[in-house]
Amino acid sequence: MTLPFLDPELGHIQKKISDGHRLDVEDGLKLYNSPDLLGVARLAHGVRTQRHGKQAYYIINQHLNYTNICKNQCRFCAYARKEKEPGGFTLTFGQIEENLMARRHEPIREIHIVGGLNPALSLDYYLKLVKTVHKIRPDAMIKAFTPVEIDCLAHEAKTTIEDIISQLKQAGLGMLPGGGAEVMSERVRQELFPKKISGERWLEIMAAVHDAGIRSNATMLYGHIETLEERLTHLIKLRTLQDKTDGFVAFIPLSFHSKNTKLAYLPPTTAYDDLKTIAIARLLLDNIPHIKAYWVMIGEKLAQIALSFGADDLDGTIVEEKISHMAGATSSKGLTRRQLVRLIEQAGFTAVERDSLYQPVISDVVI
């Protein structure tokens, strides 16, 4: 027998889902405002189980942050530095090769590459960067650059978005990570990141990326000055583009870390909000296959719990991510395969190693 919900509104939402109707912003607000946290989890977990059963995914991957020099200087960012500011860096190709070769013995399936908008770097740098990674890791997916970086490259090279995408694809780019949209609200953009491209421009570039046959992830940075309505509108915009392109592979909610930023007065997100956001993303994004519980941002223990709140993926080993840790993230700098499998299995799920497009892989190397 199905137990009733503590919040009657959740029963109405459950019926809407079972009848095949999409949830809207009003439904999302009811979910956010519901006091029945476990009831929201039941709804999201039901959808997650229909799609993925007891499987929970992870990947052996490596992050490469090539520069933290950035002209945008967003208020929420602890990573960026101005030109010649102490702590600024741009990796040489020798350093990039050294970073990659240091883990050459590991069965890495994906190289995740993002950085700042460094005015000193030309399109040639980016093309050589991709080619260098592809030469050292020919079998790994190169998942690199946000639409913000793509837009900057097109502007600096005085060419089209389509041309930039084509050149990067020829160099070895296989996928985009999906960051840079933050929250698609013009109000928030003007307050926190006025120099960054708008949400509409981000969607336009993603559409071009998908049209070029390149898949991507999508993200949302939440827990700063945005409203719940702005979060939900962001999700609906992603869903609308997915209807048109079917190019998004996964959605990753990114909890905001304020330490060392100009918003350091803001408190961290709560576990309650993190879990609600993951669950609501699973319920609203009915056309995006996967929802990540990104352990780097919310911590390993909460990511475990999130697997029962709609998430089906923990991301990966992630050695060595800099951006969120410079903003005060307290999670590990990286996890081993054994640690990821243990997290998944102790949460009651079946661990499945995957590639970037969620195809299961089998590896005999223990890391």
Side-chain angles (χ1 to χ4, degrees), residues 71-197:
K71 64 183 182 181
N72 277 358
Q73 297 296 303
C74 303
R75 290 186 66 205
F76 61 78
C77 185
Y79 176 72
R81 298 290 184 273
K82 297 178 182 179
E83 290 184 86
K84 299 181 181 180
E85 182 181 354
F89 71 88
T90 298
L91 297 182
T92 66
F93 292 107
Q95 290 172 320
I96 291 168
E97 291 181 10
E98 182 180 350
N99 286 348
L100 295 172
M101 292 302 295
R103 300 183 65 199
R104 192 68 182 86
H105 63 288
E106 299 175 16
I108 291 172
R109 309 284 177 182
E110 174 186 280
I111 307 294
H112 178 116
I113 306 171
V114 291
L117 305 185
N118 187 338
L121 301 182
S122 67
L123 176 58
D124 288 341
Y125 177 93
Y126 289 83
L127 294 174
K128 187 175 179 181
L129 169 58
V130 175
K131 290 176 181 177
T132 299
V133 175
H134 183 64
K135 181 179 178 181
I136 296 173
R137 285 287 188 183
D139 297 326
M141 173 71 79
I142 299 177
K143 187 177 74 177
F145 314 130
T146 68
V148 179
E149 290 159 280
I150 300 290
D151 180 81
C152 181
L153 280 174
H155 178 76
E156 294 296 329
K158 296 180 172 59
T159 187
T160 65
I161 292 295
E162 289 76 12
D163 180 50
I164 293 295
I165 295 168
S166 176
Q167 290 193 59
L168 289 171
K169 185 176 181 180
Q170 290 178 19
L173 177 69
M175 190 174 177
L176 260 65
E182 317 316 345
V183 171
M184 284 186 269
S185 159
E186 188 60 21
R187 179 192 71 84
V188 174
R189 186 173 84 90
Q190 291 300 329
E191 181 69 22
L192 298 188
F193 46 97
K195 295 181 180 180
K196 187 170 283 188
I197 61 174

Side-chain angles (χ1 to χ4, degrees), residues 254-278:
L254 302 173
S255 60
F256 177 58
H257 291 260
S258 65
K259 187 177 179 180
N260 300 323
T261 76
K262 294 178 181 178
L263 303 175
Y265 60 90
L266 292 176
T269 60
T270 64
Y272 187 92
D273 192 16
D274 293 334
L275 293 172
K276 273 280 189 81
T277 299
I278 288 169

Side-chain angles (χ1 to χ4, degrees), residues 230-245:
E230 286 167 334
R231 289 189 199 181
L232 294 163
T233 299
H234 180 105
L235 297 180
I236 297 298
K237 287 181 177 181
L238 293 177
R239 189 174 75 184
T240 299
L241 180 59
Q242 181 75 340
D243 281 342
K244 298 175 181 177
T245 68

Side-chain angles (χ1 to χ4, degrees), residues 286-340:
D286 52 54
N287 55 2
I288 296 182
H290 302 279
I291 304 293
K292 288 189 184 184
Y294 191 42
W295 65 262
V296 170
M297 299 297 254
I298 62 174
E300 300 93 317
K301 293 180 179 180
L302 193 59
Q304 264 189 308
I305 299 171
L307 293 175
S308 295
F309 276 74
D312 62 277
D313 181 33
L314 291 188
D315 199 276
T317 48
I318 311 181
V319 178
E320 173 186 8
E321 190 276 344
K322 292 186 173 67
I323 296 175
S324 61
H325 283 95
M326 290 176 73
T330 58
S331 55
S332 302
K333 291 294 183 69
L335 294 177
T336 66
R337 177 193 277 121
R338 283 179 173 172
Q339 288 172 315
L340 285 166

